[in-house]
Amino acid sequence: MVLSRHIQLVIGDITEQDTDVVVNAANSSLLGGGGVDGAIHRKGGPEILAECRALRASKYGRGLPTGQAVATTAGRLPAKWVVHTVGPVWSEHEDRSELLANCHRNSLGVAVSLGAKTVAFPAISTGIFGWPLKSAAKIALTTVLDTDAPGVEAVRFVLFDETAFDVFSDVLTKLHRE
Ligand code: AR6
């Protein structure tokens, strides 16, 4: 584990982050939705959707597969880029953890290719997609700590409320003790 990587946990709104990259909890269509996705397109403006449409018309004609990641402009957001990734929908019957880990790995990979130094993640899949917070926090934090991402100096998890913040804090504290 790369415990030296700087991990920040904050309560806040992903659209207000001044990191180089903000990660969007998108869906395969790349054409918007609710939650984080809705907020990013609303506040970032039409330039983001225009680039998403261009991606659908070219490389991702069938949509962005779950676990993968792709960058667009951040439009009017303070960040430089939005990296869109598609989290798995929670299932009680099937273990989709690897797909959730892939979202984090692949988003960091895209951030590295952009030359980003700072990356902000929301708690992917824990809203509309229904993933239990504690499990999502373990997967997100261990994956970010385990992934080699040259040039990325800080990864910030932006939690929407105190409950999510407390869960991520507990999991991170336990990981540092292991
Ligand atoms: N900033 C930070 N966190 C937020 C914000 C915000 N502005 N808004 C919500 N959250 P979700 P998912 C939290 O539903 O579960 C969309 O329709 C929220 O409390 O945004 O991956 C997409 O188009 C939760 O903890 O993403 C997809 O169809 C977390 O962010 C689908 O929802 C993620 O919630 C993706 O669902």
Side-chain angles (χ1 to χ4, degrees):
M1 246 185 223
V2 197
L3 283 176
S4 55
R5 166 146 320 130
H6 199 58
I7 295 214
Q8 304 164 343
L9 305 180
V10 300
I11 298 179
D13 184 333
I14 193 88
T15 63
E16 289 170 8
Q17 305 306 308
D18 60 356
T19 43
D20 294 334
V21 161
V22 295
V23 176
N24 182 17
N27 62 60
S28 289
S29 80
L30 288 177
L31 301 178
V36 167
D37 200 11
I40 283 180
H41 282 286
R42 215 166 31 245
K43 291 210 193 159
E47 256 189 282
I48 301 177
L49 189 58
E51 284 195 21
C52 286
R53 285 194 202 283
L55 286 165
R56 285 301 308 276
S58 55
K59 194 169 173 195
Y60 295 106
R62 294 173 169 219
L64 182 68
T66 305
Q68 293 196 24
V70 67
T72 65
T73 174
R76 294 197 286 257
L77 298 178
K80 291 188 186 141
W81 300 280
V82 173
V83 171
H84 306 262
T85 189
V86 183
V89 176
W90 165 255
S91 166
E92 269 181 35
H93 312 291
E94 191 184 22
D95 183 6
R96 300 177 179 166
S97 305
E98 209 42 37
L99 289 169
L100 187 54
N102 283 345
C103 287
H104 295 84
R105 272 185 213 115
N106 291 327
S107 297
L108 285 174
V110 173
V112 169
S113 71
L114 293 166
K117 291 196 172 111
T118 51
V119 178
F121 280 95
I124 298 168
S125 287
T126 67
I128 292 163
F129 283 175
W131 203 291
L133 258 176
K134 189 171 175 189
S135 163
K138 272 188 196 155
I139 295 163
L141 289 164
T142 49
T143 305
V144 166
L145 289 168
D146 280 343
T147 302
D148 191 31
V152 176
E153 292 165 5
V155 174
R156 182 182 304 167
F157 283 92
V158 182
L159 293 326
F160 211 35
D161 58 27
E162 215 164 306
T163 308
F165 177 84
D166 289 347
V167 170
F168 270 71
S169 299
D170 285 351
V171 170
L172 187 59
T173 306
K174 283 188 187 120
L175 287 174
H176 278 96
R177 279 207 216 102
E178 272 171 11

